[in-house]
Amino acid sequence: MKVAERHTAPPWQPDPGRLSPRVARLLWAAFVGITLAAVIALIPLPYAILRPGPATNTLGQVAGKPLVAIEGATTYPTEGALDFTTVSVVGGPGRRVNAWDLLGAAIDPSAEIFDEDQLFPKGATSEEVKEENALEMTTSQHEAAAVALRSLGKSVPNSYVVASVTKGSGADGVLLAGDVITGVDGEAVASMVDIQRLVRTHKAGEDVTVSVRRDGAAKDLIVRTTASGDTVVLGVRLRMDYDFPVAVTIDAGDVGGPSAGTMFALAVRDLLTPGAMTGGKKIAGTGTIDDAGTVGPIGGIRQKIVGAKEAGAGYFLAPAANCPELAGHVPDDITVVKIATFDEAVSAVDGIAAGKTGLPSCS
């Protein structure tokens, strides 16, 4: 009996010069994925990211020079550290973040993501932000020096000077940069609060009499008030000038903003008093300071306390108004001391130096 022969086809052999459909699909998907990732990385997003920045000892040096230098008074050697803390900001005018930045921040426990408008004035340019930060830093340095010197019994008279005039406001062409404001509506002014109080007795668009000293001569000028939101203003930016009895120079390098004011003031006081105010301990902190010695809240408190811990500080001076933000976010092995005034900041440092317990805390 004959049996039909079976013929088995040889195994399929791929063409060495041609990709299989499956491999081609995988490569195409990878190409599309890489292209999409690249496109996403180029899309700017309206957010800003805060991360811990470096801490700098106000009693030390920056670029080989003392951060705080005083001439015209006896200064004393000291030790320990009074660190001012900073935040690193990614995003904002001129530097938008992208999706990868946000992904990295989302998995970083020390980072926080904010809408850009929460941290920067709407429509501001990068140059305007830089100028504003520089002005705030300069103002905080002057106020810090004045507060520290007054705490030691020295007289530091002050005056309010027009720093700039808002274009198109009622003050434009009437008040000039450099004018010293001495009165409003015939009443002498001794503080920013006085100026604001008297201007706000008017409605926007009404005339107010502003007394100034210009090039040594007294002048009474009529200025039409301007509305800024719900507030009546003169349409100028003011700065405070001081007649210091000694020369205080503070150079923090390329750092802007007002939040180091309290630590600057502590450093000035430490250098002008015998012995080490810190008792040799490493203390960090933050907080604005105003002419009256009030310690004000700052942004990025959670990042700043992390930066303090990373710099080796055992203590952190925190503005009282920022305490709620620190709940559940205080690193191990760092003690937070709550302060609301410069006198309280001095007492806190003295207490830390003496090893006191039970200092005011945020808890």
Side-chain angles (χ1 to χ4, degrees):
M1 181 175 67
K2 292 184 179 180
V3 178
E5 291 182 335
R6 269 185 163 173
H7 296 283
T8 304
W12 176 80
Q13 297 293 327
D15 183 345
R18 183 178 177 181
L19 295 174
S20 71
R22 181 172 179 274
V23 172
R25 285 195 299 271
L26 289 174
L27 289 176
W28 175 249
F31 172 76
V32 171
I34 292 170
T35 302
L36 286 174
V39 170
I40 290 171
L42 294 174
I43 297 174
L45 300 171
Y47 298 98
I49 300 167
L50 297 190
R51 286 193 171 93
T56 304
N57 184 12
T58 57
L59 302 175
Q61 296 188 339
V62 172
K65 296 181 180 179
L67 192 148
V68 178
I70 302 172
E71 295 180 5
T74 301
T75 57
Y76 301 88
T78 188
E79 58 183 2
L82 289 167
D83 288 351
F84 76 85
T85 49
T86 63
V87 293
S88 173
V89 183
V90 180
R95 170 59 173 97
R96 285 283 184 89
V97 300
N98 57 46
W100 301 116
D101 294 322
L102 294 179
L103 178 60
I107 61 177
D108 181 352
S110 66
E112 282 187 273
I113 301 170
F114 294 86
D115 288 337
E116 186 179 87
D117 291 346
Q118 290 180 266
L119 302 183
F120 301 96
K122 195 165 186 176
T125 66
S126 58
E127 280 305 311
E128 287 171 339
V129 170
K130 187 175 181 180
E131 288 173 7
E132 175 71 14
N133 285 339
L135 178 60
E136 288 179 339
M137 171 59 83
T138 300
T139 300
S140 75
Q141 292 171 351
H142 291 167
E143 291 177 335
V147 167
L149 292 170
R150 287 172 183 159
S151 76
L152 297 172
K154 299 184 184 296
S155 174
V156 187
N158 63 275
S159 57
Y160 291 89
V161 182
V162 176
S164 62
V165 180
T166 304
K167 202 173 242 187
S169 70
D172 192 7
V174 181
L175 294 174
L176 303 177
D179 284 347
V180 179
I181 295 182
T182 58
V184 176
D185 285 339
E187 184 175 330
V189 293
S191 69
M192 189 76 76
V193 172
D194 287 344
I195 297 172
Q196 293 170 340
R197 172 178 57 82
L198 292 167
V199 169
R200 290 171 187 173
T201 62
H202 294 268
K203 295 179 181 178
E206 291 184 348
D207 289 340
V208 58
T209 301
V210 181
S211 302
V212 304
R213 189 170 63 251
R214 181 184 294 172
D215 298 328
K219 294 178 177 290
D220 287 332
L221 305 171
I222 304 301
V223 179
R224 182 153 293 176
T225 57
T226 302
S228 176
D230 296 329
T231 306
V232 178
V233 298
L234 283 177
V236 298
R237 179 185 293 279
L238 298 178
R239 72 170 190 269
M240 191 180 296
D241 276 5
Y242 293 94
D243 184 8
F244 287 109
V246 300
V248 179
T249 303
I250 301 175
D251 185 359
D254 189 23
V255 178
S259 65
T262 297
M263 303 311 292
F264 291 152
L266 288 169
V268 172
R269 182 183 171 92
D270 190 0
L271 293 171
L272 289 172
T273 52
M277 187 176 175
T278 65
K281 295 178 180 176
K282 190 171 179 64
I283 303 169
T286 187
T288 64
I289 196 86
D290 67 13
D291 186 64
T294 303
V295 174
I298 51 80
I301 188 74
R302 295 178 185 176
Q303 288 71 40
K304 288 181 177 180
I305 197 170
V306 171
K309 172 66 184 300
E310 291 175 348
Y315 300 88
F316 185 80
L317 307 183
N322 284 123
C323 280
E325 298 172 63
L326 284 176
H329 295 276
V330 177
D332 294 336
D333 302 322
I334 190 165
T335 300
V336 178
V337 183
K338 177 177 67 174
I339 55 173
T341 66
F342 182 64
D343 288 344
E344 289 181 5
V346 172
S347 295
V349 175
D350 288 343
I352 292 167
K356 290 184 179 179
T357 58
L359 295 171
S361 69
C362 284
S363 58

